[in-house]
CSV table of all heavy atoms in Angstrom, one decimal:
chain,number,residue,atom,x,y,z
A,348,LEU,N,98.8,155.7,124.1
A,348,LEU,CA,98.1,155.0,125.2
A,348,LEU,C,99.0,154.0,125.7
A,348,LEU,O,98.9,153.7,127.0
A,348,LEU,CB,96.8,154.4,124.6
A,348,LEU,CG,95.6,155.3,124.4
A,348,LEU,CD1,94.5,154.6,123.8
A,348,LEU,CD2,95.1,156.0,125.6
A,349,GLY,N,99.7,153.4,124.9
A,349,GLY,CA,100.7,152.2,125.4
A,349,GLY,C,101.6,152.9,126.3
A,349,GLY,O,101.8,152.3,127.4
A,350,PHE,N,102.3,153.9,126.1
A,350,PHE,CA,103.2,154.6,127.0
A,350,PHE,C,102.6,155.0,128.3
A,350,PHE,O,103.0,154.7,129.4
A,350,PHE,CB,103.7,155.8,126.3
A,350,PHE,CG,105.0,155.6,125.4
A,350,PHE,CD1,104.9,155.9,124.1
A,350,PHE,CD2,106.2,154.9,125.9
A,350,PHE,CE1,106.1,155.7,123.2
A,350,PHE,CE2,107.2,154.6,125.1
A,350,PHE,CZ,107.2,155.1,123.8
A,351,LEU,N,101.5,155.5,128.1
A,351,LEU,CA,100.6,156.1,129.2
A,351,LEU,C,100.3,155.0,130.3
A,351,LEU,O,100.5,155.0,131.5
A,351,LEU,CB,99.4,156.8,128.8
A,351,LEU,CG,98.6,157.5,129.8
A,351,LEU,CD1,99.3,158.8,130.4
A,351,LEU,CD2,97.3,157.9,129.4
A,352,MET,N,99.8,153.8,129.6
A,352,MET,CA,99.5,152.8,130.5
A,352,MET,C,100.7,152.2,131.2
A,352,MET,O,100.5,151.8,132.3
A,352,MET,CB,98.6,151.8,129.6
A,352,MET,CG,97.4,152.2,129.3
A,352,MET,SD,96.3,152.7,130.7
A,352,MET,CE,95.3,154.0,130.0
A,353,ASP,N,101.7,152.1,130.4
A,353,ASP,CA,102.9,151.5,131.1
A,353,ASP,C,103.3,152.3,132.3
A,353,ASP,O,103.7,151.9,133.3
A,353,ASP,CB,104.0,151.4,129.9
A,353,ASP,CG,104.9,150.3,130.0
A,353,ASP,OD1,104.6,149.3,130.8
A,353,ASP,OD2,106.1,150.4,129.6
A,354,PHE,N,103.2,153.6,132.0
A,354,PHE,CA,103.7,154.4,133.1
A,354,PHE,C,102.8,154.3,134.3
A,354,PHE,O,103.2,154.2,135.4
A,354,PHE,CB,103.5,155.9,132.5
A,354,PHE,CG,103.9,157.1,133.4
A,354,PHE,CD1,105.1,157.3,133.7
A,354,PHE,CD2,102.8,157.9,134.0
A,354,PHE,CE1,105.4,158.3,134.7
A,354,PHE,CE2,103.1,158.8,134.8
A,354,PHE,CZ,104.4,159.0,135.2
A,355,CYS,N,101.4,154.3,134.0
A,355,CYS,CA,100.4,154.2,135.2
A,355,CYS,C,100.6,152.9,135.9
A,355,CYS,O,100.6,152.9,137.0
A,355,CYS,CB,99.1,154.3,134.7
A,355,CYS,SG,98.6,155.8,134.1
A,356,MET,N,100.9,151.8,135.1
A,356,MET,CA,101.0,150.5,135.7
A,356,MET,C,102.3,150.5,136.7
A,356,MET,O,102.2,149.7,137.7
A,356,MET,CB,100.9,149.2,134.8
A,356,MET,CG,99.7,149.1,134.0
A,356,MET,SD,98.1,149.4,135.1
A,356,MET,CE,98.1,147.6,135.7
A,357,LYS,N,103.2,151.1,136.3
A,357,LYS,CA,104.5,151.0,137.1
A,357,LYS,C,104.1,151.7,138.5
A,357,LYS,O,104.8,151.3,139.5
A,357,LYS,CB,105.5,151.7,136.4
A,357,LYS,CG,106.2,150.8,135.5
A,357,LYS,CD,107.5,151.5,135.0
A,357,LYS,CE,108.3,150.5,133.8
A,357,LYS,NZ,108.6,151.4,132.7
A,358,ARG,N,103.2,152.7,138.5
A,358,ARG,CA,103.1,153.4,139.8
A,358,ARG,C,102.1,152.6,140.7
A,358,ARG,O,102.2,152.9,141.7
A,358,ARG,CB,102.2,154.6,139.4
A,358,ARG,CG,102.7,155.5,138.4
A,358,ARG,CD,103.3,156.8,139.1
A,358,ARG,NE,104.5,157.1,138.6
A,358,ARG,CZ,105.3,158.2,138.8
A,358,ARG,NH1,104.7,159.2,139.6
A,358,ARG,NH2,106.4,158.5,138.3
A,359,THR,N,101.5,151.5,140.2
A,359,THR,CA,100.6,150.8,141.1
A,359,THR,C,101.4,149.9,142.1
A,359,THR,O,100.9,149.5,143.1
A,359,THR,CB,99.7,149.8,140.3
A,359,THR,OG1,100.5,149.0,139.5
A,359,THR,CG2,98.6,150.6,139.4
A,360,GLY,N,102.7,149.7,141.7
A,360,GLY,CA,103.5,148.9,142.6
A,360,GLY,C,103.2,147.3,142.5
A,360,GLY,O,103.7,146.7,143.4
A,361,LEU,N,102.6,147.0,141.5
A,361,LEU,CA,102.2,145.6,141.3
A,361,LEU,C,103.5,145.0,140.4
A,361,LEU,O,103.9,145.7,139.6
A,361,LEU,CB,100.9,145.3,140.6
A,361,LEU,CG,99.6,145.7,141.2
A,361,LEU,CD1,98.6,145.7,140.3
A,361,LEU,CD2,99.5,144.6,142.4
A,362,ASP,N,103.8,143.8,140.7
A,362,ASP,CA,104.9,143.2,140.0
A,362,ASP,C,104.2,142.5,138.8
A,362,ASP,O,103.6,141.4,138.8
A,362,ASP,CB,105.6,142.2,140.8
A,362,ASP,CG,106.6,141.4,140.0
A,362,ASP,OD1,107.0,141.9,139.1
A,362,ASP,OD2,107.0,140.3,140.6
A,363,LEU,N,104.6,143.2,137.6
A,363,LEU,CA,103.9,142.6,136.4
A,363,LEU,C,104.8,141.8,135.5
A,363,LEU,O,104.5,141.3,134.5
A,363,LEU,CB,103.5,143.8,135.6
A,363,LEU,CG,102.3,144.6,136.3
A,363,LEU,CD1,101.9,145.8,135.5
A,363,LEU,CD2,101.0,143.6,136.5
A,364,ASN,N,106.1,141.6,136.0
A,364,ASN,CA,107.2,141.0,135.2
A,364,ASN,C,107.0,139.4,135.4
A,364,ASN,O,107.1,138.6,134.5
A,364,ASN,CB,108.5,141.5,135.4
A,364,ASN,CG,108.5,142.9,134.7
A,364,ASN,OD1,108.2,143.2,133.7
A,364,ASN,ND2,109.2,143.7,135.5
A,365,SER,N,106.9,139.2,136.6
A,365,SER,CA,106.7,137.7,137.1
A,365,SER,C,105.3,137.3,137.1
A,365,SER,O,104.5,138.1,137.6
A,365,SER,CB,107.5,137.4,138.3
A,365,SER,OG,106.8,137.9,139.3
Side-chain angles (χ1 to χ4, degrees):
Chain A
L348 285 172
F350 275 124
L351 185 73
M352 288 303 144
D353 213 15
F354 179 77
C355 293
M356 293 313 281
K357 273 189 188 136
R358 308 247 135 178
T359 57
L361 292 171
D362 173 18
L363 295 173
N364 291 319
S365 66

